[in-house]
Amino acid sequence: MKKQIQALIAVWFLMMSIGITTAFSQKDGRVSPAATASQKVGTTDITISYSRPAVKGRKIWGSLVPWGEKPNPWRAGANENTTISFSSDIEIEGKKLPAGKYGLHMVPQSDSWTIIFSKKNDSWGSFSYKKEEDALRITVKPTEAPMMEWLQYSFDDLTQNSVTLNLTWEKLRVPIMIKAAK
């Protein structure tokens, strides 16, 4: 009986260590790794935090990421909510947005995209998204881009008071103009 209990305890410890190892490998060795991009514009610090899915030979736009807002907008990355923060008030595509941290969601269409800045920034993806929590919605035009295997956010066209935030993935670029508020 004592040997059976010892064997059960040994099996239990083995199962626990496998579970702990699996939990750590899933969190730290994710298929879509975490990333951050930051830029200063004027006196405003901008930081976007997201997870980077890969194309892996899949059709992305209109398939893996469906067109439209059915049933929810796209989380603009993978895993947890993509977030963007601004240390001071800014303008996005000419519309004012107060300083803060926002959940970033998108409604892709073949010819225009709706970019959503949600006051709720701690959701898992867009599954609990609610339109009434929007802080701002803007519309931008996507453009063709060279192939990008891993989803990436980057900044370019930097001036003293403005920058373009780009989402680039597969063969598409989604530019978002950001200006320091006056």
Side-chain angles (χ1 to χ4, degrees):
M1 180 78 158
K2 186 175 181 182
K3 288 192 180 206
Q4 289 174 330
I5 291 173
Q6 288 175 335
L8 285 173
I9 291 172
V11 168
W12 182 81
F13 275 111
L14 177 62
M15 296 301 288
M16 289 301 294
S17 69
I18 290 170
I20 291 169
T21 302
T22 302
F24 278 114
S25 67
Q26 287 173 350
K27 183 154 178 83
D28 297 334
R30 290 181 173 189
V31 174
S32 300
T36 303
S38 297
Q39 181 64 56
K40 188 176 211 70
V41 176
T43 59
T44 302
D45 293 313
I46 304 168
T47 302
I48 185 163
S49 299
Y50 63 105
S51 291
R52 299 183 70 185
V55 173
K56 297 185 209 171
R58 302 175 289 186
K59 179 172 172 28
I60 301 302
W61 310 116
S63 184
L64 180 67
V65 177
W67 299 126
E69 195 170 343
K70 300 175 206 156
N72 297 309
W74 178 49
R75 68 180 107 188
N79 303 327
E80 296 88 359
N81 206 9
T82 297
T83 61
I84 188 164
S85 62
F86 305 98
S87 63
S88 55
D89 297 353
I90 48 95
E91 289 182 11
I92 299 185
E93 297 290 329
K95 296 183 179 181
K96 294 183 187 261
L97 185 66
K101 182 177 180 180
Y102 298 93
L104 185 62
H105 307 277
M106 299 185 182
V107 180
Q109 298 289 345
S110 59
D111 60 346
S112 69
W113 284 40
T114 301
I115 311 300
I116 304 165
F117 298 85
S118 174
K119 296 172 197 168
K120 179 121 173 92
N121 62 46
D122 59 354
S123 299
W124 177 264
S126 295
F127 302 110
S128 63
Y129 167 80
K130 291 182 176 78
K131 191 171 184 172
E132 57 270 13
E133 295 171 339
D134 289 0
L136 177 66
R137 277 182 173 233
I138 53 119
T139 302
V140 297
K141 298 276 184 203
T143 61
E144 289 185 27
M147 177 64 184
M148 176 73 65
E149 176 68 21
W150 295 89
L151 183 144
Q152 175 180 308
Y153 284 94
S154 61
F155 296 93
D156 68 11
D157 302 326
L158 180 66
T159 71
Q160 201 62 23
N161 293 309
S162 67
V163 69
T164 301
L165 169 64
N166 297 295
L167 173 149
T168 309
W169 194 27
E170 201 243 3
K171 294 182 180 178
L172 194 72
R173 175 179 171 260
V174 181
I176 303 166
M177 173 59 80
I178 301 173
K179 286 186 178 181
K182 297 178 181 180

